[in-house]
Amino acid sequence: MAADLNYAKPMSVAITSLLENSDTDTGYDLRILVAEEFPAEVRDQFLSFEGRYPGNTVSFVVVDGFADVKVSTSHLTAPAYFRLKLPDLFPDVDRIIYLDVDTIIESDLSQLYTQDVDDVYVAAVPAAAYHVRSAEAAQAMGLPSFDRYVNSGVMLMNLKRMREHGLVEEFLELSSRGFDSDDQDIINIVCYDGIRHLPLRFNLMTKYGPKNVEEFWSRPAVQRVWSRDEYDDAMSSPVIIHFADKRKPWMDVSADFAERWWQYAAMSPMCGEIVAVYLADAVAAAAGVTSAVRKRLRSRVVSLEQQLQGRDQELADTRRSVSFRIGSLMTSGPRVIRNSLKRDVRPSQPQPRALEK
């Protein structure tokens, strides 16, 4: 994974989901790519995963470069480009799974890691929206076509083959071009002849609205790329859920699969900070409430951080107490908002008071 400090909290949730759903005989070597060292207290929270989930390791790798890179996608930051250096960063690694931090992992990843990539560079799930773009758009970008275009948020990468063919140099040459989809475009251009498609269940992207069946299948791109069987398989047993959109679950609790994200957030070592920083606004965003109600809602949840600060409790206690509180707040959100709005309305007066906007 790669992240700056702004994405540390969502990354802790992704890692929690990964380790919670690993098989007993699976061990993960987690390598986190950063532009600069995280503060010690944040780094220690990630290193605590090793104690919580024995048999797994966590390390931080500081990556140079890309400080001046132009990022075109609004919800991305420069560390997204760090994956372009993976073959050279880890010369002892032949294959690696790259994950965006806006994911939750619902199953052991051995089934992804053992996919056949011996004769390709990358195995990933198609990015359906690109597959209906014109041939002229592909040519302008430097692609023969969009038929192989994949989402780069979840990838099984054959680093050995990439090194043998000198792909890092090609990646870096293109990194200053300023593509619309940033490093994802670069990966698809350079790896075009060496891409293998994976089933949708390995990267169930919320940007296509998969929980709304009618909306999902109304998209020509979706109909072109995935079959009903593949969709049913992904929805019934997703391996990875990817919040590949501006609408993130920590910003809006009505986002697809947000309830699952918050369940893992309750088990994260950064739970207190997540609740205090995100939950009130995430509930408010879902309801579209007034600023006054938002403040009152925040006052209800911010106390959770105070209760959690300085407490050294077992993971089981965290699950029992914090997950219950988060669940209660999420389910009671509409009621709290409705009651708060009622309190905002005053009886009619000769000169009525304007409702707060």
Side-chain angles (χ1 to χ4, degrees), residues 48 75 124 133 177 218 231-232 263 324 344:
S48 72
H75 59 275
R133 290 186 176 182
R177 286 269 302 271
S218 69
Y231 167 80
D232 291 341
Q263 287 170 3
F324 173 79
D344 279 350

Side-chain angles (χ1 to χ4, degrees), residues 1-4 11 14-15 18-19 27-35 37-38 43 46-47 49-50 56-63 79 82-83 85-101 109 113 157 159 163:
M1 296 184 176
D4 58 18
M11 182 166 60
I15 294 175
L18 171 71
L19 299 179
Y28 291 103
D29 177 9
L30 291 160
R31 306 188 184 190
I32 301 172
L33 310 183
V34 295
E37 290 284 3
F38 282 178
R43 191 167 62 251
F46 282 94
L47 295 177
F49 282 118
E50 295 182 343
N56 302 281
T57 61
V58 178
S59 59
F60 290 86
V61 180
V62 177
V63 182
F82 291 172
R83 73 193 90 180
K85 286 190 173 184
L86 283 171
D88 288 350
L89 287 173
F90 306 126
D92 59 326
V93 176
D94 288 345
R95 64 167 60 193
I96 200 168
I97 293 173
Y98 178 87
L99 293 175
D100 275 354
V101 300
L109 290 189
Y113 190 73
M157 305 173 70
L159 301 188
R163 284 190 294 269

